[in-house]
Amino acid sequence: MPELSQETERGRGAAPFGLAEVTGPSMVPTLYQGDQLLVRYGARVRAGDVVVLRHPFQQDLLVVKRAVEPREGGWWVLGDNAYAGGDSTDYGTVPEELILGRALFRWRPRGAGQRSPLALMRWAVSAARPVLSSDRSGRSASRRLRAR
């Protein structure tokens, strides 16, 4: 259930920014298969941010999830697609040292079937977007629901 291309680790030590390719369904509808992410490594993480992390049990596997809230022992992370799994509901909190960075920007490549002028125009309007927190105040949706 890999979420990111392993190529994201190459050259990461020298630059605070890197590129990552999404390869799984767990962040749909925010991120889709083939989306490219601009990642800021070492960035401060707040609740609601989309983050790149090492899988707690397979540390050679990189995944992208939403940081929901800090808990004792690390961050509780969830995918935006509740049916995909592979998040803290399976492996618990993620230690802070396994959180590599925060996704800042998403670029969606053009699909093979997008040839008509209308399809190209729709793609151009939506291809590049910032990756926003789930709530501009930094509070996650699950925290708001639990508080009710």
Side-chain angles (χ1 to χ4, degrees):
M1 143 194 83
E3 289 295 328
L4 296 176
S5 165
Q6 293 299 321
E7 294 182 15
T8 58
E9 284 292 3
R10 276 193 245 166
R12 188 177 73 75
F17 296 95
L19 295 176
E21 180 178 347
V22 177
T23 61
S26 72
M27 289 299 291
V28 171
T30 305
L31 303 171
Y32 290 90
Q33 175 83 17
D35 283 357
Q36 302 289 317
L37 299 177
L38 175 64
V39 179
R40 178 158 186 213
Y41 292 105
R44 186 173 139 247
V45 176
R46 295 182 317 247
D49 287 346
V50 174
V51 296
V52 175
L53 59 115
R54 290 187 183 280
H55 191 285
F57 301 138
Q58 301 173 345
Q59 293 187 11
D60 60 332
L61 178 65
L62 300 179
V63 295
V64 59
K65 300 291 179 202
R66 189 170 302 278
V68 176
E69 64 184 13
R71 292 189 177 181
E72 185 176 331
W75 280 92
W76 189 260
V77 297
L78 296 174
D80 286 355
N81 180 355
Y83 301 107
D87 53 25
S88 285
T89 57
D90 295 330
Y91 46 73
T93 58
V94 176
E96 187 80 36
E97 60 269 13
L98 296 182
I99 306 289
L100 300 177
R102 181 169 50 101
L104 302 175
F105 202 76
R106 183 260 308 158
W107 179 73
R108 186 161 292 150
R110 187 171 61 91
Q114 294 177 317
R115 293 189 178 136
S116 74
L118 181 59
L120 288 173
M121 189 171 58
R122 273 190 255 152
W123 167 78
V125 169
S126 67
R129 296 270 166 103
V131 178
L132 301 175
S133 296
S134 62
D135 180 341
R136 291 191 187 265
S137 68
R139 296 181 61 204
S140 69
S142 63
R143 182 180 289 172
R144 286 191 313 268
L145 292 173
R146 193 173 53 246
R148 291 183 183 177

